[in-house]
Amino acid sequence: CRGSAHTLLVLYMLSLTTAAAAFASPSLHTAPARRAAPPVAVQSPLESLRAPLQTAAATLFSLGLAAQLTAAPLPASADITKADIIAAEERWGDGIVRVGEIYSKGGDYKSAAKILVDLMYGYDQGPVLFKPTKAAEKEFRVTPGEAYSYFVTGQEVEDKGFAIHPWSKVRFDNKQFLLKGDTAAAMGNYYFTDAKTGEETKVDFTFGYNRDLLGNMRINLHHSSLPYNGGAGPKPAAPALAVAAPAAPAAAPAAKPAAVAVAAPFDAAAAAKSATKAVTGGTAATAGEALMGAGALGLVLNSLL
C-alpha cells in the first residue's frame, strides 16, 4: 500500500507543478499597455467549476491520506538487548558525574541536569515510575519538575541535590535482565564513588526501559534503595545518597521524536475510513487509497481547466 500511496503523492505533486507553470505564464504578469474597457466576461461552464472542484479534490486527498497513514502501523522498533541496557547505564552514570563536575566548576549545572532527564527519561512518552532513595515527603517523582528538583534541588524543600554531591564514578553490577521486544528491565547494584573522599556506596536498583518513536532508549521505571542492614539504621560510613537521575551524552540530539504529520484531523480520518470501508468492503488502507486517488485526479484535472 505504501507504493500506491507514493504514486498518489506523485500525482498530487504533478498537479501542483502544473498549477505553478500556469501561474508563471507571462500572460499573468505582463501589465497591459493601456487601460481599455473590459470585454464582456464570458465564463465557460468548466471555469465555474474550478473553485468547487479544487476544494472537493483537496478534501478527498487529505481524508484519504489521513486514512492511509492512520491505518498503517508504525515501523517496529528493534528489540532491546543486554548491550543496549548496558550502554544506557553507562550514559546515565557518566551524565550524573558530568553534572557534578559542572556544579563544582560553577557552571550551569541545572540546565545540564534538565538535559539529562529530558533525554533519558520518558516523561514525554507516558507515565514514569521513579522512586528515589533519599525522598521521604515526596517519595515518588512522577513529573519532570519533581525529577529535576531531586537531582539539583528546586521544587521540593527536602531535596539536597543528588547529582551535585558530587560523584566521580558510577559503575553497574547487573544481576538479572528482563528482555521483551522493545521493552526491557534490569536489576542489580550500582556503586557511587564520592568525588571528595573516594569512598564507594552500594545501592540497589531496578530500571525499566522502552524505545521512543525514534528508537532511542528511554527510562520508564527507576527504583533505587540502600540495601537492608538488619534494622540497625544507616551505616555511619555511607555518604548521604540519593537515587541517580538518567544521564545522556552531552552532544546528544534533541530528544523529542518528530510526530508523523497527518493531512486531516484524526476524527475526520476515522470517519473517512469507516465510510469508505463500508462502501468498498476493503481495508481501511485501501479505502484511504481510493480517496487519495479521487482527490489526486481531481487536483490534476482542476489544474488543466
Side-chain angles (χ1 to χ4, degrees):
C1 67
R2 293 188 181 274
S4 300
H6 178 74
T7 302
L8 294 171
L9 285 172
V10 171
L11 287 175
Y12 177 58
M13 294 304 298
L14 175 62
S15 70
L16 295 180
T17 303
T18 306
F23 180 77
S25 173
S27 63
L28 294 179
H29 302 282
T30 304
R34 297 179 56 187
R35 181 181 296 275
V40 178
V42 179
Q43 189 178 44
S44 68
L46 289 178
E47 184 67 25
S48 65
L49 295 177
R50 177 184 292 273
L53 178 59
Q54 181 173 350
T55 300
T59 300
L60 283 173
F61 188 87
S62 296
L63 290 175
L65 180 59
Q68 176 85 3
L69 292 176
T70 55
L74 291 172
S77 297
D79 291 350
I80 295 177
T81 66
K82 291 181 181 180
D84 292 329
I85 293 176
I86 293 172
E89 292 171 344
E90 291 177 352
R91 290 195 301 271
W92 175 74
D94 291 345
I96 291 300
V97 171
R98 179 61 177 162
V99 171
E101 291 175 347
I102 294 174
Y103 170 78
S104 299
K105 295 177 181 178
D108 188 2
Y109 63 94
K110 289 194 174 183
S111 292
K114 184 179 186 302
I115 291 172
L116 297 181
V117 176
D118 291 347
L119 289 180
M120 291 210 67
Y121 263 132
Y123 283 108
D124 60 334
Q125 305 294 311
V128 173
L129 311 182
F130 180 21
K131 167 59 179 71
T133 305
K134 298 286 289 185
E137 297 177 8
K138 192 73 173 181
E139 296 179 74
F140 306 99
R141 305 303 173 96
V142 298
T143 69
E146 294 169 353
Y148 304 149
S149 179
Y150 185 76
F151 306 138
V152 291
T153 75
Q155 182 172 317
E156 304 298 330
V157 177
E158 67 174 325
D159 293 336
K160 306 302 179 184
F162 169 77
I164 59 177
H165 180 76
W167 309 101
S168 62
K169 182 180 179 181
V170 181
R171 67 179 180 90
F172 283 80
D173 180 15
N174 291 288
K175 300 301 182 182
Q176 189 59 277
F177 297 94
L178 177 62
L179 306 176
K180 193 172 181 63
D182 61 356
T183 63
M187 72 174 185
N189 303 115
Y190 44 7
Y191 298 82
F192 299 87
T193 302
D194 191 304
K196 298 176 181 178
T197 67
E199 293 185 20
E200 190 176 69
T201 301
K202 175 183 177 182
V203 186
D204 302 334
F205 77 83
T206 301
F207 277 100
Y209 302 91
N210 62 5
R211 291 194 187 277
D212 62 21
L213 293 178
L214 296 180
N216 300 314
M217 292 276 286
R218 306 294 289 275
I219 298 170
N220 58 13
L221 166 66
H222 183 186
H223 184 281
S224 182
S225 60
L226 291 169
Y228 180 62
N229 62 3
K235 296 180 180 179
L241 183 66
V243 76
K256 296 269 185 180
V260 177
V262 178
F266 282 98
D267 289 343
K273 288 190 292 182
S274 177
T276 52
K277 185 176 181 180
V279 174
T280 64
T283 63
T286 301
E289 288 185 14
L291 284 171
M292 290 172 66
L297 180 60
L299 290 171
V300 172
L301 293 176
N302 183 70
S303 67
L304 297 176
L305 290 179

